[in-house]
C-alpha cells in the first residue's frame, strides 16, 4: 500500500498564525502537526509516502523530513498549486500509487488510540473498494456523516446534513483499492471547481464497495483547523503524554517498533536532538529496546 498526505491549503482559519508558515508545520504541543498523520501511515505499515503541498510550503517539509531514509521510509513530494479538492491527490499521485492500493490522510487530522496499528493493518488486508474511518461526534451537522448497516457497509454519505441520519463523522483517513485513480479522473468538479472526496466515495458506495470502520470509544480523533481545536489538540497530547509517560506520534519510536530501523539508528536520531525532552525520550526508548533487538 502507498501512502499520501495532503498538506496543502492556506490555513486561513488559523490566520495570522499561518500567514508565514504552513498549517501542517505548526506545533501541536511538542512536535509539528505533520508528525501525527505521518505516524498513522507508519502504523499501518506504509513506508512509501507522497506528501502533497503548495509550491511555497514544500521546501519547508523537505527540510524537516528529507527523503525519510533515516526512518526507514521513502518520502517523495508533489505540488498542488491550487486547492482543487481532496480527490485531486490521486491524480497528482497517480505515478506514486502505480498498481498498488493507497491510503490518503489529511495533514491536519490527529488520531490516537490503543491498538490503532492493528485496526489499520486489518483494514488494509485484502482491500477491495474503499474503507473509511468513522468517529461518533456530538455535532454531526458540521461533518461528513456516514450511515452504516449492521455489517459496517456504508448505506449513505451526507456532507454537513441539516438532519443527520447518524452521528458517525467520516474522518480524514481513507483507504482505497487501485480503482481510485481512474475514479478520481472521471469526477466532475463541484460548483467550487473542486474534485470532492465525497463524490469519489459515493462512486464506491454506488458500486456496493464502501465500508466504514467505527473507531469507537477509547479512540480520539482531533481536527486542528481552528485556533480552539488546535489548542484542544495540544492540551490532549500534553495530558496523555504526562499521564502515560509515552510520546504520541513519535516517529522514531514507531519506526523502531515497526522494524523500519534498528535500536542503534533510533538512538542516533534521538541523540541528534538530545537537548530536548523529545530527543531524550527517543534515546531512552532506544536504550531499552537494544537488548530485545540483539537476542
Amino acid at each position: 500500500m502507498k501512502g499520501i498526505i495532503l498538506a496543502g491549503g492556506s490555513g486561513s482559519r488559523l490566520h495570522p498564525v499561518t500567514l508565514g508558515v504552513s498549517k501542517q508545520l505548526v506545533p501541536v504541543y511538542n512536535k509539528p502537526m505533520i508528525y501525527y498523520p505521518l505516524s498513522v501511515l507508519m502504523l499501518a505499515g506504509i513506508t512509501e509516502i507522497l506528501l502533497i503541498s503548495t509550491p511555497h510550503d514544500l521546501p519547508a517539509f523537505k527540510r524537516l523530513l528529507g527523503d525519510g531514509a533515516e526512518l526507514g521510509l521513502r518520502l517523495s513530494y508533489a505540488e498542488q498549486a491550487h486547492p482543487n479538492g481532496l480527490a485531486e491527490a490521486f491524480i497528482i499521485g497517480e505515478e506514486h500509487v502505480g498498481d498498488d492500493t493507497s491510503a490518503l490522510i489529511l495533514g491536519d487530522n490527529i488520531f490516537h488510540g490503543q491498538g490503532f496499528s492493528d485496526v489499520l493493518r486489518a483494514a488494509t488486508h485484502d482491500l477491495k473498494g474503499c474503507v473509511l474511518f468513522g468517529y461518533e461526534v456530538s455535532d454531526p451537522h458540521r461533518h461528513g456523516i456516514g450511515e452504516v448497516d449492521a455489517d459496517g457497509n456504508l448505506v449513505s454519505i451526507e456532507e454537513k446534513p441539516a438532519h443527520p441520519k447518524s452521528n458517525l463523522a467520516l474522518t480524514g483517513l481513507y483507504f482505497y483499492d487501485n480503482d481510485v485513480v481512474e475514479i478520481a479522473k472521471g469526477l466532475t468538479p463541484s460548483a467550487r471547481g473542486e474534485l470532492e472526496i465525497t463524490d469519489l466515495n459515493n462512486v464506491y458506495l454506488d458500486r456496493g464497495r464502501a465500508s466504514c470502520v467505527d473507531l469507537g470509544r477509547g479512540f480520539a480523533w482531533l481536527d486542528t483547523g481552528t485556533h480552539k481545536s488546535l489548542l484542544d489538540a495540544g492540551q490532549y497530547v500534553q495530558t496523555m503524554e504526562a499521564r502515560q509517560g509515552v510520546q504520541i506520534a513519535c516517529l522514531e519510536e514507531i519506526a523502531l517498533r515497526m522494524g523500519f530501523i534498528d535500536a542503534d539508528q533510533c538512538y542516533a536520531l534521538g541523540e541528534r536532538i538530545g537537548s530536548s525532552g523529545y530527543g531524550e525520550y527517543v534515546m531512552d526508548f532506544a536504550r531499552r529496546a537494544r537488548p530485545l533487538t540483539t537476542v
Side-chain angles (χ1 to χ4, degrees):
M1 174 173 273
K2 304 292 178 55
I4 299 175
I5 303 175
L6 188 56
S10 63
S12 58
R13 290 186 297 167
L14 288 175
H15 284 173
V17 173
T18 51
L19 287 174
V21 63
S22 167
K23 173 175 69 174
Q24 291 84 6
L25 291 172
V26 170
V28 178
Y29 183 46
N30 58 356
K31 58 189 75 70
M33 188 187 297
I34 196 66
Y35 273 38
Y36 296 88
L38 179 55
S39 73
V40 171
L41 297 183
M42 292 172 67
L43 287 170
I46 300 170
T47 57
E48 296 182 53
I49 298 168
L50 174 69
L51 191 150
I52 299 174
S53 189
T54 67
H56 175 76
D57 291 321
L58 274 178
F61 286 108
K62 291 178 181 178
R63 285 194 299 272
L64 175 66
L65 300 171
D67 63 4
E70 291 181 334
L71 295 169
L73 306 176
R74 291 175 59 188
L75 298 182
S76 55
Y77 301 87
E79 295 181 1
Q80 186 183 41
H82 305 284
N84 294 327
L86 306 186
E88 190 186 36
F90 296 103
I91 299 175
I92 296 171
E94 178 179 8
E95 184 176 342
H96 171 71
V97 173
D99 297 326
D100 213 336
T101 56
S102 57
L104 171 67
I105 188 167
L106 306 187
D108 60 357
N109 275 219
I110 296 175
F111 296 84
H112 180 243
Q114 186 69 29
F116 195 29
S117 181
D118 293 335
V119 172
L120 294 170
R121 285 185 282 182
T124 66
H125 179 68
D126 195 28
L127 178 60
K128 294 183 177 67
C130 78
V131 177
L132 310 182
F133 294 82
Y135 186 83
E136 293 190 359
V137 295
S138 60
D139 52 353
H141 61 281
R142 295 183 57 248
H143 302 273
I145 296 297
E147 180 188 9
V148 299
D149 62 20
D151 297 320
N153 298 309
L154 276 167
V155 176
S156 69
I157 301 172
E158 297 180 289
E159 191 64 31
K160 298 181 180 178
H163 305 286
K165 295 178 182 178
S166 80
N167 63 343
L168 192 66
L170 299 176
T171 69
L173 176 63
Y174 317 86
F175 286 4
Y176 298 100
D177 64 14
N178 193 250
D179 291 344
V180 69
V181 173
E182 292 305 315
I183 293 174
K185 287 180 178 180
L187 294 178
T188 301
S190 68
R192 298 183 298 176
E194 299 182 1
L195 299 180
E196 302 286 357
I197 199 74
T198 298
D199 293 341
L200 188 153
N201 292 334
N202 272 321
V203 173
Y204 279 102
L205 181 66
D206 292 342
R207 296 178 180 180
R209 296 167 55 204
S211 61
C212 182
V213 175
D214 185 350
L215 293 176
R217 298 180 67 174
F219 276 85
W221 169 55
L222 305 167
D223 186 359
T224 54
T226 67
H227 295 290
K228 182 181 184 304
S229 60
L230 180 62
L231 179 62
D232 289 344
Q235 290 174 333
Y236 173 85
V237 173
Q238 179 189 31
T239 299
M240 295 302 292
E241 291 186 351
R243 290 186 176 182
Q244 297 180 349
V246 297
Q247 291 278 337
I248 295 174
C250 177
L251 303 184
E252 297 82 358
E253 177 183 356
I254 293 170
L256 178 53
R257 287 187 181 275
M258 297 297 293
F260 301 160
I261 60 175
D262 62 29
D264 289 339
Q265 292 170 306
C266 183
Y267 185 88
L269 292 174
E271 190 174 33
R272 190 173 63 185
I273 52 173
S275 59
S276 69
Y278 182 93
E280 292 172 357
Y281 174 88
V282 172
M283 287 190 292
D284 183 60
F285 180 79
R287 287 191 200 98
R288 290 183 281 112
R290 271 175 172 155
L292 299 178
T293 59
T294 56
V295 172

